[in-house]
Amino acid sequence: MTPMVKADRVCKNFGALEVLKGVSLEIDPGQVLCLVGPSGSGKSTFLRCINHLEQVNAGRLYVDGDLVGYSEKNGKLYELHPRAAAKQRRDIGMVFQHFNLFPHRTALENIIEAPTQVKRVSKKKAVERAKDLLDQVGLSAKANAYPAQLSGGQQQRVAIARALAMDPKLMLFDEPTSALDPELVGEVLTVMKQLAKEGMTMVVVTHEMGFAREVADQLVFMDGGVVVEAGEPRELLANPQHDRTKAFLSKLL
């Protein structure tokens, strides 16, 4: 089986600052991988590298067997034309910490924007699909509401529906609940759990250890730009092997 995501010694630096120092991991289709670790450990940067929002400085990243952001000839990498990179990105949905919805568009309009503009889906089809997705995330009554009229949890659920409207084969979540009030976290996690149940491949940067324990197939602890420890979530949370993992989890659990 071709891994949905394969990272092979991925390095990324911003000037002199090394953010990723040789990250290697694999995620199979239909799996959920949760990335945890302290702020500044490289989790979000790694996520952004997966869909080439950030360029890697060394190593290789593959999504569904395709090299991300580059073509390779005779062992040399050549960066893809921005249009080709954008085409790759269509198959990868991303949900950000701060929703990133268009404030001047309704929930429905936010969802149909990419399918109609990027994939040239007819407006009629896009609207039908958007209504189905709003129903899926429990917001069918909010189709005509603007982001300012929605709670944070509702905005994040619209953002998830917007990402799903492109029919991605992979979903990336960058701390999707960290900007929410505690009582709104559950409604977003419920949608994500349902997606996992339906077999969506997901990479989730999160501090929600209950979600990781219940839903993830793999838990990866990162610190200082490296994978410190990885394993089955319940086992890793109950019995971490590395002192750094123990110290981190002791503050969370």
Side-chain angles (χ1 to χ4, degrees):
M1 187 191 289
T2 303
M4 183 56 76
V5 178
K6 181 179 178 180
D8 180 18
R9 294 165 294 177
V10 170
C11 297
K12 172 67 186 173
N13 51 274
F14 296 102
L17 178 65
E18 284 184 281
V19 179
L20 300 174
K21 304 171 187 174
V23 172
S24 295
L25 50 81
E26 287 189 12
I27 305 143
D28 288 332
Q31 280 198 332
V32 177
L33 181 142
C34 282
L35 281 172
V36 301
S39 295
S41 57
K43 308 180 302 294
S44 294
T45 299
F46 177 69
L47 212 62
R48 291 172 67 83
C49 287
I50 293 175
N51 65 358
H52 203 56
L53 289 176
E54 298 290 354
Q55 300 170 350
V56 303
N57 296 106
R60 306 275 193 280
L61 254 172
Y62 301 88
V63 170
D64 204 15
D66 294 326
L67 186 61
V68 173
Y70 298 89
S71 59
E72 188 167 3
K73 288 172 192 156
N74 304 322
K76 264 192 164 182
L77 291 184
Y78 299 89
E79 190 166 0
L80 292 180
H81 186 278
R83 195 175 294 163
K87 195 174 179 186
Q88 268 190 345
R89 210 175 283 129
R90 284 183 200 176
D91 293 328
I92 304 171
M94 186 151 184
V95 177
F96 299 89
Q97 194 173 340
H98 292 292
F99 327 136
N100 292 8
L101 298 175
F102 295 117
H104 58 293
R105 295 206 167 99
T106 64
L108 187 87
E109 288 166 347
N110 265 284
I111 295 167
I112 68 170
E113 175 78 10
T116 54
Q117 298 300 315
V118 178
K119 279 192 162 179
R120 302 293 176 206
V121 173
S122 73
K123 186 171 180 185
K124 183 172 179 283
K125 266 191 177 172
V127 167
E128 279 173 19
R129 174 86 170 119
K131 285 179 176 174
D132 284 345
L133 288 166
L134 281 168
D135 188 43
Q136 193 178 323
V137 299
L139 290 174
S140 45
K142 299 290 185 180
N144 297 315
Y146 288 90
Q149 298 169 312
L150 301 171
S151 71
Q154 289 171 333
Q155 288 186 61
Q156 193 61 294
R157 285 186 280 156
V158 172
I160 292 171
R162 179 181 60 179
L164 291 173
M166 292 292 280
D167 295 317
K169 53 187 166 188
L170 170 66
M171 285 283 282
L172 309 176
F173 292 86
D174 189 7
E175 301 201 34
T177 58
S178 66
L180 301 178
D181 291 334
E183 68 268 23
L184 301 177
V185 168
E187 62 191 50
V188 173
L189 293 181
T190 299
V191 171
M192 292 170 65
K193 285 174 189 173
Q194 188 56 38
L195 279 180
K197 215 177 271 182
E198 290 164 6
M200 175 61 76
T201 312
M202 295 157 59
V203 185
V204 184
V205 173
T206 187
H207 293 295
E208 300 292 337
M209 293 301 154
F211 174 83
R213 185 188 285 110
E214 187 184 337
V215 180
D217 299 286
Q218 284 189 69
L219 183 62
V220 173
F221 172 63
M222 284 181 68
D223 191 25
V226 299
V227 172
V228 176
E229 195 168 340
E232 195 279 323
R234 287 167 196 264
E235 175 61 28
L236 196 152
L237 290 170
N239 190 26
Q241 300 300 300
H242 198 283
D243 286 345
R244 184 67 191 92
T245 318
K246 289 175 189 172
F248 176 76
L249 292 176
S250 71
K251 290 173 186 160
L252 286 182
L253 300 174

